[in-house]
């Protein structure tokens, strides 16, 4: 399973990397001044990762890469360079899986909403029920109820 790790870069800024179970780096962030900022960026990366439109793929003489971007085009993190487009695309799939396999309730509700947008009703209902399996934070109850209601109507 892939994991996020915090580290200090050469400028002593706090950054994060997403690494596979074998230790291969998939994604590296820019530097942040505080741990809170770095953790917030990890949350953004996790919420954006399942969406194909969040990736800007590139090719250069150095290799094939990608960036993970917010909806307004802000770069959240940069993928490593890969020798082929196939290797690069495998890395983006691994990143999506890391987001899908998480236990973060807010992320699960976000994924349920993505399934709704794709009209994947069964997957949507399954994800909402998974999110509701434990105690929901009060701020997520209304969202979960709405998504569950929509999934049951379809």
């Amino acid at each position: 399973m892939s994991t996020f790790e915090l580290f200090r870069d050469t400028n002593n800024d706090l950054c994060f990397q997403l690494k596979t179970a074998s230790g291969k780096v998939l994604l590296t962030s820019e530097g942040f001044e505080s741990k809170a900022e770095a953790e917030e960026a990890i949350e953004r990366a996790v919420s954006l990762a399942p969406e194909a439109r969040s990736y800007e793929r590139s090719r250069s003489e150095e290799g094939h890469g990608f960036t993970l971007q917010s909806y307004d085009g802000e770069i959240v993190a940069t993928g490593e360079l890969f020798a082929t487009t196939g290797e690069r695309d495998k890395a983006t799939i691994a990143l999506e899986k890391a987001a899908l396999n998480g236990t973060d309730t807010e992320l699960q509700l976000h994924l349920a909403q993505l399934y709704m947008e794709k009209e994947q009703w069964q997957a949507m209902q399954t994800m909402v029920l998974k999110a509701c399996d434990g105690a929901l934070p009060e701020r997520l109850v209304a969202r979960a109820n709405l998504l569950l209601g929509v999934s049951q109507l379809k």
Side-chain angles (χ1 to χ4, degrees):
M1 184 169 168
S2 300
T3 58
F4 286 96
E5 295 180 6
L6 295 175
F7 70 97
R8 295 264 177 202
D9 67 8
T10 56
N11 296 327
N12 205 31
D13 289 329
L14 198 57
C15 303
F16 71 79
Q17 288 182 324
L18 177 64
K19 291 184 175 182
T20 65
S22 64
K24 181 167 178 51
V25 175
L26 296 175
L27 198 64
T28 304
S29 75
E30 62 182 33
F32 300 97
E33 291 183 12
S34 70
K35 184 176 180 181
E37 289 175 321
E39 289 173 343
E40 183 179 308
I42 289 171
E43 288 178 24
R44 272 188 290 148
V46 168
S47 69
L48 292 167
E51 298 183 50
R53 68 182 174 168
S54 298
Y55 297 96
E56 178 71 28
R57 291 163 174 84
S58 61
R59 176 190 279 175
S60 69
E61 289 181 14
E62 293 84 31
H64 303 268
F66 66 93
T67 56
L68 180 62
Q69 299 180 358
S70 65
Y71 303 121
D72 62 1
E74 176 190 356
I75 294 175
V76 176
T78 302
E80 298 299 303
L81 288 177
F82 298 90
T84 67
T85 56
E87 288 177 1
R88 177 200 60 204
D89 292 344
K90 284 181 188 176
T92 59
I93 290 168
L95 183 56
E96 291 169 2
K97 284 182 181 178
L100 287 169
N101 293 329
T103 57
D104 183 295
T105 303
E106 191 165 5
L107 174 60
Q108 291 166 343
L109 293 176
H110 180 73
L111 290 174
Q113 188 169 345
L114 292 174
Y115 290 141
M116 179 181 70
E117 291 170 10
K118 295 178 181 179
E119 297 183 8
Q120 296 174 347
W121 308 115
Q122 187 59 48
M124 176 189 177
Q125 186 175 36
T126 300
M127 190 56 62
V128 174
L129 292 173
K130 182 177 178 182
C132 295
D133 201 28
L136 280 174
E138 186 64 33
R139 64 185 175 78
L140 298 177
V141 171
R143 183 175 177 194
N145 284 332
L146 178 63
L147 289 169
L148 187 59
V150 169
S151 73
Q152 291 176 343
L153 287 173
K154 296 294 180 176

